[in-house]
Amino acid sequence: MQSVISYIGLGSNLAQPDQQLQDALRAIHGLKDTHVKQCSSFYASKPMGPQDQPDYVNAVVAIATQLSAGELLPHLQAIEQLHGRQRKSERWGPRTLDLDIILYGDEQIQSENLVVPHYGMKTREFVLYPLREIAPELVLPCGDSLVSVLKSVPKNGLEVIRKNVTWK
Ligand code: ROI
């Protein structure tokens, strides 16, 4: 079966976020029929949503996978669970590990439990800038280039905190 390139957003603001992302990266690389191809730097970002929570660490990885998007999702959710993610009642509250399918090839998916491209991707600096780092030429399934989308999204204090991230 052909591999598809998918971009996964990683975020954490609890329990050593940098380590959470590093561990998640290895776990993603270890998924069956899946390899991490590229990873952005790790970025510190201001919380979107309630401000009375710690800053986040965010990154985006490019994977090549033979899993369908629908197969990939439960694997990512299992990694989140393994890292002690608790689904809290507070909307947009702090989290140990969040893994979102941002893009899956050129597919546009609208099912009950999965929307791809990720609904927030065009407005979230902590997704767009890391994505530009690893895929500067990217064109979204809607036809917009990543560069054109970025023009209307300020950095909002987004800052590189670790470069040359590895996953092997
Ligand atoms: N804010 C930032 N900066 N980074 C995130 O990953 C993130 N994730 C979320 C909400 C709560 C929306 N805010 C975030 O789920």
Side-chain angles (χ1 to χ4, degrees):
M1 196 188 139
Q2 277 272 328
S3 284
V4 174
I5 301 294
S6 175
Y7 294 92
I8 312 296
L10 295 78
S12 168
N13 73 342
L14 291 176
Q16 296 187 285
D18 189 286
Q19 193 63 48
Q20 294 292 342
L21 262 60
Q22 185 66 65
D23 292 349
L25 204 52
R26 292 216 179 85
I28 293 169
H29 191 59
L31 289 179
K32 69 165 181 157
D33 299 331
T34 301
H35 301 280
V36 170
K37 300 297 247 186
Q38 276 180 291
C39 184
S40 73
S41 302
F42 287 0
Y43 291 78
S45 68
K46 300 287 167 212
M48 175 184 180
Q51 294 298 297
D52 59 341
Q53 56 177 321
D55 285 357
Y56 280 77
V57 177
N58 285 108
V60 172
V61 297
I63 62 172
T65 185
Q66 295 179 40
L67 301 174
S68 68
E71 289 166 343
L72 183 58
L73 180 66
H75 285 292
L76 297 178
Q77 288 170 337
I79 296 172
E80 287 178 342
Q81 293 303 328
L82 219 59
H83 291 252
R85 172 156 183 195
Q86 295 179 4
R87 292 196 175 259
K88 298 247 176 70
S89 50
E90 189 197 353
R91 186 171 181 244
W92 287 8
R95 59 240 5 251
T96 350
L97 182 64
D98 213 358
L99 300 176
D100 291 326
I101 302 176
I102 306 295
L103 293 167
Y104 183 87
D106 269 336
E107 285 189 27
Q108 293 179 302
I109 303 164
Q110 301 246 1
S111 71
E112 202 170 305
N113 56 357
L114 183 60
V115 177
V116 179
H118 187 272
Y119 72 97
M121 75 163 294
K122 281 178 148 185
T123 56
R124 297 184 175 190
E125 72 282 358
F126 53 85
V127 173
L128 294 171
Y129 287 90
L131 187 55
R132 183 181 65 177
E133 211 193 312
I134 58 174
E137 313 278 324
L138 195 73
V139 176
L140 308 185
C142 65
D144 290 350
S145 71
L146 178 60
V147 169
S148 69
V149 173
L150 266 162
K151 284 192 179 129
S152 57
V153 180
K155 277 199 159 172
N156 190 29
L158 190 75
E159 200 184 337
V160 171
I161 54 168
R162 186 140 76 89
K163 292 184 177 174
N164 303 316
V165 174
T166 58
W167 53 85
K168 282 167 190 160

